[in-house]
Amino acid sequence: MPIYLAEEVIADRVARNTLPEFEDQASHCPACHYPRQGLNRDDCPECGTAFTPVPLSPDERQRLRGKAIRLVVVIVAIQILVSLILLVVIAL
């Protein structure tokens, strides 16, 4: 995914306050260890074990929001730096 698209997605989620409501208890199914990344269902497609999400506390949501904002700032800073380097290289 291009950097500018990632930046827009993160900024949009922060602006809409749509950060995840639940945190994953694990990155794999507890029964069969099937990877859970990218799943948008509440059960394991491999063994059928139901996942029970844990609601995030307000402090954890605030921490994630701050982390997303810092990520956007870093992406913008990298874009500015790359643009400046390209300008210098082109000027030479």
Coordinates of all heavy atoms in Angstrom, one line a residue:
M1 N 0.9 -1.2 0.0 CA 0.0 0.0 0.0 C 0.9 1.2 0.0 O 1.8 1.3 0.8 CB -0.9 0.0 1.3 CG -1.7 1.2 1.4 SD -2.7 1.3 2.9 CE -3.9 0.0 2.7
P2 N 0.6 2.2 -0.9 CA 1.4 3.4 -0.9 C 1.3 4.1 0.4 O 0.3 4.1 1.1 CB 0.8 4.2 -2.1 CG 0.1 3.2 -2.9 CD -0.3 2.1 -2.0
I3 N 2.4 4.9 0.7 CA 2.5 5.6 2.0 C 1.3 6.6 2.1 O 0.7 6.6 3.2 CB 3.8 6.3 2.1 CG1 4.9 5.3 2.3 CG2 3.8 7.3 3.3 CD1 6.3 5.9 2.4
Y4 N 1.0 7.3 1.1 CA 0.0 8.3 1.2 C -1.4 7.7 1.5 O -2.2 8.2 2.2 CB -0.1 9.2 -0.1 CG -0.4 8.5 -1.3 CD1 -1.8 8.4 -1.7 CD2 0.5 8.0 -2.2 CE1 -2.1 7.7 -2.9 CE2 0.2 7.3 -3.3 CZ -1.1 7.2 -3.7 OH -1.4 6.5 -4.9
L5 N -1.6 6.4 0.9 CA -2.9 5.8 1.2 C -3.0 5.3 2.7 O -4.0 5.4 3.4 CB -3.1 4.6 0.3 CG -3.5 4.9 -1.1 CD1 -3.7 3.7 -2.0 CD2 -4.8 5.7 -1.2
A6 N -1.8 4.8 3.2 CA -1.8 4.3 4.6 C -2.0 5.5 5.5 O -2.8 5.4 6.5 CB -0.4 3.7 4.9
E7 N -1.4 6.7 5.2 CA -1.6 7.9 6.0 C -3.1 8.3 6.0 O -3.6 8.6 7.0 CB -0.8 9.0 5.4 CG -1.0 10.3 6.0 CD -0.2 11.4 5.2 OE1 0.9 11.2 4.7 OE2 -0.8 12.5 5.2
E8 N -3.7 8.2 4.8 CA -5.1 8.6 4.8 C -6.0 7.7 5.5 O -6.9 8.1 6.2 CB -5.6 8.7 3.3 CG -5.0 9.9 2.5 CD -5.5 9.9 1.1 OE1 -6.6 9.3 0.8 OE2 -4.8 10.5 0.3
V9 N -5.8 6.4 5.5 CA -6.6 5.4 6.2 C -6.4 5.7 7.7 O -7.4 5.7 8.4 CB -6.2 4.0 5.8 CG1 -6.8 3.0 6.8 CG2 -6.5 3.7 4.4
I10 N -5.2 5.8 8.2 CA -5.0 6.1 9.6 C -5.6 7.4 10.1 O -6.3 7.4 11.1 CB -3.5 6.0 9.9 CG1 -2.9 4.6 9.7 CG2 -3.2 6.4 11.4 CD1 -1.4 4.6 9.7
A11 N -5.4 8.4 9.3 CA -6.0 9.7 9.7 C -7.5 9.7 9.7 O -8.1 10.2 10.6 CB -5.5 10.8 8.7
D12 N -8.1 8.9 8.7 CA -9.5 8.8 8.7 C -10.1 8.1 9.9 O -11.0 8.5 10.5 CB -9.9 8.1 7.4 CG -11.4 8.0 7.2 OD1 -12.1 9.1 7.2 OD2 -12.0 6.9 7.1
R13 N -9.4 7.0 10.2 CA -9.8 6.2 11.4 C -9.7 7.0 12.7 O -10.6 7.0 13.6 CB -9.0 4.9 11.5 CG -9.4 3.9 10.4 CD -8.8 2.6 10.6 NE -9.5 2.0 11.8 CZ -9.3 0.7 12.1 NH1 -8.5 0.0 11.4 NH2 -9.9 0.2 13.1
V14 N -8.6 7.8 12.8 CA -8.5 8.7 14.0 C -9.6 9.7 14.0 O -10.2 10.0 15.0 CB -7.1 9.3 14.0 CG1 -7.0 10.3 15.1 CG2 -6.0 8.2 14.3
A15 N -9.8 10.4 12.9 CA -10.8 11.4 12.8 C -12.2 10.9 13.1 O -13.0 11.6 13.7 CB -10.8 12.1 11.4
R16 N -12.5 9.7 12.6 CA -13.8 9.2 12.8 C -13.9 8.4 14.2 O -15.0 7.9 14.5 CB -14.2 8.2 11.7 CG -14.4 8.8 10.4 CD -14.7 7.7 9.4 NE -14.8 8.3 8.1 CZ -15.5 7.8 7.1 NH1 -16.2 6.7 7.4 NH2 -15.6 8.3 6.0
N17 N -12.8 8.4 14.9 CA -12.8 7.7 16.2 C -13.3 6.2 16.0 O -14.1 5.7 16.8 CB -13.7 8.4 17.2 CG -13.4 8.0 18.6 OD1 -12.4 7.4 18.9 ND2 -14.4 8.2 19.5
T18 N -12.7 5.6 15.0 CA -13.1 4.2 14.8 C -12.0 3.2 15.0 O -11.8 2.3 14.3 CB -13.6 4.0 13.3 OG1 -12.6 4.4 12.4 CG2 -14.9 4.8 13.1
L19 N -11.2 3.5 16.0 CA -10.1 2.6 16.4 C -10.8 1.4 16.9 O -11.9 1.4 17.3 CB -9.2 3.2 17.4 CG -8.3 4.4 16.9 CD1 -7.6 5.1 18.0 CD2 -7.3 3.9 15.9
P20 N -10.1 0.2 16.9 CA -10.7 -1.0 17.3 C -11.4 -0.9 18.7 O -10.8 -0.3 19.6 CB -9.6 -2.0 17.3 CG -8.5 -1.4 16.5 CD -8.7 0.1 16.6
E21 N -12.6 -1.5 18.8 CA -13.3 -1.5 20.1 C -12.8 -2.7 21.0 O -13.0 -2.6 22.2 CB -14.8 -1.7 19.8 CG -15.4 -0.6 19.2 CD -15.5 0.7 20.1 OE1 -15.6 0.5 21.3 OE2 -15.5 1.8 19.5
F22 N -12.2 -3.7 20.3 CA -11.7 -4.8 21.1 C -10.3 -5.1 20.8 O -9.8 -4.8 19.7 CB -12.6 -6.0 20.7 CG -14.0 -5.9 21.0 CD1 -14.9 -5.4 20.0 CD2 -14.5 -6.1 22.3 CE1 -16.2 -5.2 20.3 CE2 -15.8 -6.0 22.6 CZ -16.7 -5.5 21.6
E23 N -9.6 -5.7 21.7 CA -8.2 -6.1 21.5 C -8.2 -7.6 21.3 O -9.0 -8.4 21.9 CB -7.3 -5.7 22.6 CG -7.4 -6.5 23.9 CD -6.4 -6.1 24.9 OE1 -5.2 -6.1 24.6 OE2 -6.8 -5.8 26.0
D24 N -7.3 -8.1 20.4 CA -7.2 -9.5 20.2 C -6.5 -10.1 21.4 O -5.5 -9.6 21.9 CB -6.4 -9.8 19.0 CG -7.1 -9.5 17.7 OD1 -8.4 -9.5 17.7 OD2 -6.4 -9.2 16.7
Q25 N -7.1 -11.2 21.9 CA -6.4 -11.9 23.0 C -5.1 -12.6 22.5 O -4.2 -12.8 23.3 CB -7.4 -12.9 23.7 CG -8.5 -12.2 24.4 CD -9.4 -13.2 25.0 OE1 -9.7 -14.2 24.4 NE2 -9.9 -12.9 26.2
A26 N -5.1 -13.0 21.3 CA -4.0 -13.7 20.8 C -4.0 -13.5 19.3 O -5.0 -13.2 18.7 CB -4.0 -15.2 21.1
S27 N -2.8 -13.7 18.7 CA -2.7 -13.6 17.2 C -3.0 -14.9 16.5 O -3.0 -15.0 15.3 CB -1.4 -13.1 16.8 OG -0.4 -14.0 17.2
H28 N -3.2 -16.0 17.3 CA -3.5 -17.3 16.8 C -4.7 -17.9 17.5 O -5.0 -17.5 18.7 CB -2.3 -18.2 16.9 CG -1.2 -17.8 16.0 ND1 -0.3 -16.8 16.3 CD2 -0.8 -18.3 14.8 CE1 0.6 -16.7 15.3 NE2 0.3 -17.6 14.4
C29 N -5.4 -18.8 16.9 CA -6.5 -19.6 17.6 C -5.9 -20.3 18.8 O -4.9 -21.0 18.7 CB -7.1 -20.5 16.6 SG -8.4 -21.6 17.3
P30 N -6.6 -20.2 19.9 CA -6.1 -20.9 21.1 C -6.2 -22.5 21.0 O -5.4 -23.2 21.6 CB -7.0 -20.4 22.3 CG -8.2 -19.9 21.6 CD -7.8 -19.4 20.2
A31 N -7.1 -23.0 20.1 CA -7.2 -24.4 20.0 C -6.3 -25.0 19.0 O -5.6 -26.0 19.2 CB -8.7 -24.7 19.6
C32 N -6.3 -24.4 17.7 CA -5.5 -25.1 16.7 C -4.3 -24.2 16.2 O -3.6 -24.6 15.3 CB -6.4 -25.4 15.5 SG -7.0 -23.9 14.6
H33 N -4.1 -23.0 16.7 CA -3.0 -22.1 16.4 C -3.1 -21.6 15.0 O -2.1 -21.2 14.4 CB -1.7 -22.7 16.7 CG -1.5 -23.2 18.1 ND1 -1.4 -22.3 19.1 CD2 -1.5 -24.4 18.6 CE1 -1.2 -23.0 20.2 NE2 -1.3 -24.3 20.0
Y34 N -4.3 -21.5 14.4 CA -4.6 -20.9 13.1 C -4.3 -19.4 13.2 O -4.8 -18.8 14.2 CB -6.0 -21.2 12.6 CG -6.3 -20.8 11.2 CD1 -6.0 -21.6 10.1 CD2 -6.9 -19.5 11.0 CE1 -6.3 -21.2 8.8 CE2 -7.1 -19.1 9.7 CZ -6.9 -19.9 8.6 OH -7.1 -19.5 7.4
P35 N -3.6 -18.8 12.3 CA -3.3 -17.3 12.4 C -4.6 -16.5 12.3 O -5.4 -16.8 11.4 CB -2.3 -17.0 11.3 CG -2.4 -18.2 10.4 CD -2.9 -19.4 11.1
R36 N -4.8 -15.6 13.2 CA -6.0 -14.8 13.2 C -5.9 -13.5 12.4 O -6.9 -12.7 12.3 CB -6.5 -14.5 14.6 CG -6.9 -15.7 15.4 CD -7.2 -15.4 16.8 NE -8.2 -14.4 16.9 CZ -8.6 -13.9 18.1 NH1 -8.1 -14.3 19.2 NH2 -9.5 -12.9 18.1
Q37 N -4.7 -13.1 11.9 CA -4.6 -11.9 11.2 C -5.5 -11.8 10.0 O -5.5 -12.8 9.2 CB -3.1 -11.6 10.8 CG -2.1 -11.4 11.9 CD -1.5 -12.7 12.3 OE1 -1.8 -13.8 11.9 NE2 -0.5 -12.6 13.2
G38 N -6.2 -10.7 9.8 CA -7.0 -10.6 8.7 C -8.4 -11.2 8.8 O -9.2 -11.1 7.9
L39 N -8.7 -11.9 9.8 CA -10.0 -12.6 9.9 C -11.0 -11.5 10.4 O -10.7 -10.7 11.2 CB -9.9 -13.7 11.0 CG -9.2 -14.9 10.7 CD1 -9.3 -15.9 11.8 CD2 -9.7 -15.6 9.4
N40 N -12.2 -11.6 9.8 CA -13.2 -10.7 10.2 C -14.4 -11.5 10.7 O -15.6 -11.1 10.5 CB -13.6 -9.7 9.1 CG -14.0 -10.5 7.8 OD1 -14.0 -11.7 7.8 ND2 -14.3 -9.7 6.8
R41 N -14.1 -12.6 11.3 CA -15.2 -13.4 11.8 C -14.9 -13.7 13.3 O -13.8 -13.5 13.8 CB -15.3 -14.7 11.1 CG -14.2 -15.1 10.2 CD -14.4 -16.3 9.3 NE -15.0 -17.5 9.9 CZ -15.2 -18.6 9.3 NH1 -14.8 -18.7 8.1 NH2 -15.8 -19.6 9.9
D42 N -15.9 -14.2 14.0 CA -15.8 -14.5 15.4 C -15.5 -15.9 15.8 O -15.6 -16.3 16.9 CB -17.1 -14.0 16.2 CG -17.3 -12.6 16.1 OD1 -16.3 -11.8 16.0 OD2 -18.5 -12.1 16.2
D43 N -15.1 -16.7 14.7 CA -14.8 -18.1 15.0 C -13.6 -18.5 14.1 O -13.4 -17.8 13.1 CB -16.0 -19.0 14.8 CG -16.5 -19.0 13.4 OD1 -16.3 -18.0 12.6 OD2 -17.2 -20.0 13.0
C44 N -13.0 -19.5 14.4 CA -11.8 -20.0 13.7 C -12.3 -20.7 12.4 O -13.1 -21.7 12.6 CB -11.0 -20.9 14.5 SG -9.5 -21.6 13.7
P45 N -11.8 -20.4 11.2 CA -12.3 -21.1 10.0 C -11.7 -22.5 10.0 O -12.2 -23.4 9.3 CB -11.7 -20.3 8.9 CG -10.6 -19.5 9.5 CD -10.9 -19.3 10.9
E46 N -10.7 -22.8 10.7 CA -10.0 -24.1 10.7 C -10.7 -25.1 11.6 O -11.1 -26.2 11.2 CB -8.6 -24.0 11.2 CG -7.7 -25.2 11.0 CD -7.4 -25.5 9.6 OE1 -7.4 -24.7 8.7 OE2 -7.1 -26.7 9.3
C47 N -11.0 -24.7 12.9 CA -11.6 -25.7 13.9 C -12.9 -25.2 14.4 O -13.6 -26.0 15.1 CB -10.6 -25.9 15.0 SG -10.4 -24.5 16.1
G48 N -13.3 -24.0 14.2 CA -14.7 -23.5 14.6 C -14.7 -23.0 16.0 O -15.8 -22.6 16.5
T49 N -13.5 -22.9 16.7 CA -13.5 -22.3 18.0 C -13.9 -20.9 18.0 O -13.5 -20.1 17.2 CB -12.1 -22.4 18.6 OG1 -11.7 -23.8 18.7 CG2 -12.0 -21.8 20.0
A50 N -14.8 -20.5 18.9 CA -15.3 -19.1 19.0 C -14.3 -18.2 19.7 O -13.7 -18.6 20.7 CB -16.7 -19.1 19.7
F51 N -14.1 -17.0 19.1 CA -13.2 -16.1 19.8 C -14.0 -15.1 20.6 O -15.1 -14.6 20.1 CB -12.4 -15.3 18.7 CG -11.6 -16.1 17.7 CD1 -11.7 -15.9 16.4 CD2 -10.8 -17.1 18.2 CE1 -10.9 -16.6 15.5 CE2 -10.0 -17.9 17.3 CZ -10.1 -17.6 16.0
T52 N -13.6 -14.8 21.8 CA -14.3 -13.9 22.6 C -13.4 -12.6 22.8 O -12.4 -12.7 23.5 CB -14.6 -14.5 24.0 OG1 -13.4 -15.0 24.6 CG2 -15.6 -15.6 23.9
P53 N -13.8 -11.5 22.1 CA -13.0 -10.3 22.2 C -13.1 -9.7 23.6 O -14.1 -9.8 24.3 CB -13.5 -9.4 21.1 CG -14.9 -9.9 20.9 CD -14.9 -11.4 21.3
V54 N -12.0 -9.0 24.0 CA -12.0 -8.3 25.3 C -12.2 -6.8 25.0 O -11.4 -6.3 24.3 CB -10.7 -8.6 26.0 CG1 -10.6 -7.8 27.3 CG2 -10.5 -10.1 26.3
P55 N -13.2 -6.1 25.6 CA -13.3 -4.7 25.3 C -12.1 -3.9 25.8 O -11.5 -4.2 26.8 CB -14.6 -4.3 26.1 CG -15.3 -5.6 26.4 CD -14.2 -6.7 26.5
L56 N -11.7 -2.9 25.0 CA -10.6 -2.1 25.4 C -11.0 -1.1 26.5 O -12.1 -0.5 26.4 CB -10.1 -1.3 24.2 CG -9.4 -2.1 23.1 CD1 -9.1 -1.3 21.9 CD2 -8.1 -2.8 23.6
S57 N -10.2 -0.8 27.4 CA -10.4 0.2 28.4 C -10.3 1.6 27.7 O -9.6 1.7 26.7 CB -9.5 0.1 29.6 OG -8.2 0.4 29.1
P58 N -10.9 2.6 28.3 CA -10.7 4.0 27.8 C -9.2 4.4 27.7 O -8.8 5.1 26.8 CB -11.5 4.9 28.8 CG -12.5 4.0 29.4 CD -11.9 2.6 29.4
D59 N -8.4 4.0 28.7 CA -7.0 4.3 28.7 C -6.3 3.6 27.5 O -5.5 4.2 26.9 CB -6.3 3.9 30.0 CG -6.8 4.7 31.2 OD1 -7.2 5.8 31.0 OD2 -6.6 4.2 32.3
E60 N -6.7 2.4 27.2 CA -6.0 1.7 26.1 C -6.5 2.3 24.8 O -5.7 2.4 23.9 CB -6.4 0.2 26.2 CG -5.8 -0.7 25.1 CD -4.3 -0.8 25.3 OE1 -3.7 -0.4 26.3 OE2 -3.6 -1.3 24.4
R61 N -7.7 2.7 24.7 CA -8.2 3.4 23.4 C -7.4 4.7 23.2 O -7.0 5.0 22.1 CB -9.7 3.6 23.5 CG -10.5 2.4 23.2 CD -12.0 2.7 23.1 NE -12.3 3.7 22.1 CZ -12.4 3.4 20.8 NH1 -12.0 2.2 20.4 NH2 -12.7 4.4 19.9
Q62 N -7.2 5.4 24.3 CA -6.5 6.7 24.2 C -5.0 6.4 23.8 O -4.5 7.2 23.0 CB -6.5 7.4 25.6 CG -5.9 8.8 25.5 CD -6.6 9.7 24.6 OE1 -7.9 9.6 24.4 NE2 -5.9 10.6 24.0
R63 N -4.4 5.4 24.3 CA -3.1 5.0 24.0 C -3.0 4.7 22.5 O -2.1 5.1 21.8 CB -2.6 3.8 24.9 CG -1.1 3.5 24.6 CD -0.7 2.2 25.4 NE -1.3 1.0 24.8 CZ -0.9 0.4 23.7 NH1 0.1 0.9 23.0 NH2 -1.5 -0.6 23.2
L64 N -3.9 3.9 22.0 CA -3.9 3.5 20.6 C -4.2 4.7 19.7 O -3.6 4.8 18.6 CB -5.0 2.4 20.3 CG -4.7 1.0 20.9 CD1 -6.0 0.1 20.6 CD2 -3.5 0.5 20.2
R65 N -5.0 5.6 20.1 CA -5.3 6.8 19.3 C -4.0 7.7 19.3 O -3.6 8.1 18.2 CB -6.4 7.7 20.0 CG -6.8 8.9 19.1 CD -8.0 9.6 19.7 NE -9.2 8.7 19.7 CZ -9.8 8.2 20.7 NH1 -9.3 8.4 21.9 NH2 -10.9 7.4 20.6
G66 N -3.3 7.8 20.4 CA -2.0 8.6 20.4 C -1.0 7.9 19.5 O -0.3 8.5 18.7
K67 N -1.0 6.6 19.5 CA 0.0 5.8 18.7 C -0.3 6.0 17.2 O 0.6 6.2 16.4 CB -0.1 4.3 19.0 CG 1.0 3.5 18.6 CD 0.8 2.1 19.2 CE 2.0 1.2 18.9 NZ 1.8 -0.1 19.4
A68 N -1.6 6.0 16.8 CA -2.0 6.3 15.4 C -1.6 7.7 15.0 O -1.2 7.9 13.9 CB -3.5 6.0 15.3
I69 N -1.8 8.6 15.8 CA -1.5 10.0 15.5 C 0.0 10.2 15.3 O 0.5 10.8 14.4 CB -2.0 11.0 16.6 CG1 -3.6 11.0 16.5 CG2 -1.4 12.4 16.4 CD1 -4.2 11.8 17.6
R70 N 0.8 9.5 16.2 CA 2.3 9.6 16.0 C 2.7 8.9 14.7 O 3.6 9.4 14.1 CB 2.9 8.9 17.2 CG 2.9 9.8 18.5 CD 3.8 9.2 19.6 NE 3.4 7.9 20.0 CZ 2.5 7.6 20.9 NH1 1.8 8.6 21.5 NH2 2.2 6.4 21.2
L71 N 2.0 7.8 14.4 CA 2.3 7.2 13.1 C 2.1 8.1 11.9 O 2.9 8.1 11.0 CB 1.5 5.9 13.0 CG 1.8 5.0 11.8 CD1 3.3 4.6 11.7 CD2 0.9 3.8 11.8
V72 N 1.0 8.8 11.9 CA 0.7 9.7 10.8 C 1.7 10.8 10.8 O 2.2 11.2 9.7 CB -0.7 10.3 11.0 CG1 -1.0 11.5 10.1 CG2 -1.8 9.3 10.8
V73 N 2.1 11.3 11.9 CA 3.2 12.4 11.9 C 4.5 11.9 11.4 O 5.1 12.5 10.6 CB 3.4 12.9 13.4 CG1 4.6 13.8 13.5 CG2 2.1 13.7 13.8
V74 N 4.9 10.6 11.7 CA 6.1 10.1 11.2 C 6.0 9.9 9.7 O 6.9 10.2 9.0 CB 6.4 8.7 11.9 CG1 7.5 7.9 11.2 CG2 6.8 9.0 13.3
I75 N 4.9 9.4 9.2 CA 4.7 9.2 7.8 C 4.8 10.5 7.0 O 5.5 10.6 6.0 CB 3.4 8.5 7.5 CG1 3.4 7.0 8.0 CG2 3.0 8.5 6.0 CD1 2.1 6.3 7.9
V76 N 4.2 11.5 7.5 CA 4.2 12.9 6.9 C 5.7 13.4 6.9 O 6.2 13.9 5.9 CB 3.3 13.9 7.6 CG1 3.5 15.3 7.1 CG2 1.8 13.5 7.3
A77 N 6.4 13.2 8.0 CA 7.8 13.7 8.1 C 8.6 12.9 7.1 O 9.5 13.5 6.5 CB 8.3 13.4 9.5
I78 N 8.4 11.6 6.9 CA 9.2 10.9 6.0 C 8.9 11.4 4.5 O 9.8 11.5 3.7 CB 8.9 9.3 6.1 CG1 9.5 8.8 7.4 CG2 9.4 8.6 4.9 CD1 9.1 7.4 7.7
Q79 N 7.6 11.6 4.3 CA 7.3 12.1 2.9 C 8.0 13.5 2.7 O 8.4 13.7 1.6 CB 5.8 12.3 2.8 CG 5.0 11.0 2.7 CD 3.5 11.2 2.6 OE1 3.0 12.1 3.1 NE2 2.9 10.3 1.9
I80 N 8.0 14.4 3.7 CA 8.6 15.7 3.5 C 10.1 15.5 3.3 O 10.7 16.1 2.4 CB 8.3 16.6 4.7 CG1 6.9 17.0 4.7 CG2 9.2 17.8 4.7 CD1 6.4 17.7 6.0
L81 N 10.8 14.6 4.1 CA 12.2 14.4 3.9 C 12.5 13.8 2.5 O 13.5 14.3 1.9 CB 12.6 13.4 5.0 CG 14.1 13.1 5.1 CD1 14.9 14.4 5.3 CD2 14.4 12.1 6.1
V82 N 11.7 12.9 2.1 CA 12.0 12.3 0.8 C 11.8 13.3 -0.3 O 12.6 13.4 -1.3 CB 11.1 11.1 0.5 CG1 11.1 10.6 -0.9 CG2 11.5 9.9 1.4
S83 N 10.8 14.2 -0.2 CA 10.6 15.2 -1.2 C 11.7 16.2 -1.2 O 12.2 16.6 -2.3 CB 9.3 16.0 -0.8 OG 8.2 15.2 -0.9
L84 N 12.3 16.6 0.0 CA 13.4 17.5 0.0 C 14.7 16.9 -0.6 O 15.4 17.5 -1.3 CB 13.7 17.9 1.5 CG 12.6 18.8 2.1 CD1 12.9 19.1 3.6 CD2 12.6 20.2 1.4
I85 N 14.9 15.6 -0.3 CA 16.0 14.9 -0.9 C 15.9 14.9 -2.4 O 16.9 15.1 -3.1 CB 16.2 13.5 -0.3 CG1 16.6 13.6 1.2 CG2 17.2 12.6 -1.1 CD1 16.6 12.3 1.9
L86 N 14.7 14.6 -2.9 CA 14.5 14.6 -4.4 C 14.7 15.9 -5.0 O 15.3 16.0 -6.1 CB 13.1 14.1 -4.7 CG 12.9 12.6 -4.5 CD1 11.4 12.2 -4.7 CD2 13.8 11.7 -5.4
L87 N 14.3 17.0 -4.3 CA 14.5 18.3 -4.8 C 16.0 18.6 -4.9 O 16.5 19.2 -5.9 CB 13.8 19.4 -3.9 CG 12.3 19.5 -4.1 CD1 11.7 20.4 -3.0 CD2 12.0 19.9 -5.5
V88 N 16.8 18.2 -3.9 CA 18.2 18.5 -3.9 C 18.9 17.7 -5.0 O 19.7 18.2 -5.7 CB 18.8 18.1 -2.5 CG1 20.3 18.1 -2.6 CG2 18.3 19.1 -1.5
V89 N 18.5 16.4 -5.2 CA 19.1 15.6 -6.2 C 18.8 16.1 -7.6 O 19.6 16.2 -8.5 CB 18.6 14.1 -6.1 CG1 19.0 13.3 -7.3 CG2 19.1 13.5 -4.8
I90 N 17.5 16.6 -7.8 CA 17.1 17.1 -9.1 C 17.9 18.4 -9.4 O 18.3 18.7 -10.5 CB 15.6 17.3 -9.1 CG1 14.9 16.0 -9.2 CG2 15.2 18.1 -10.3 CD1 13.4 16.0 -9.0
A91 N 18.1 19.2 -8.3 CA 18.8 20.5 -8.5 C 20.3 20.4 -8.8 O 20.8 21.3 -9.4 CB 18.6 21.4 -7.2
L92 N 20.8 19.2 -8.5 CA 22.2 19.0 -8.8 C 22.3 18.6 -10.2 O 23.0 18.6 -11.0 CB 22.8 17.9 -7.9 CG 22.9 18.3 -6.4 CD1 23.4 17.1 -5.6 CD2 23.8 19.5 -6.1

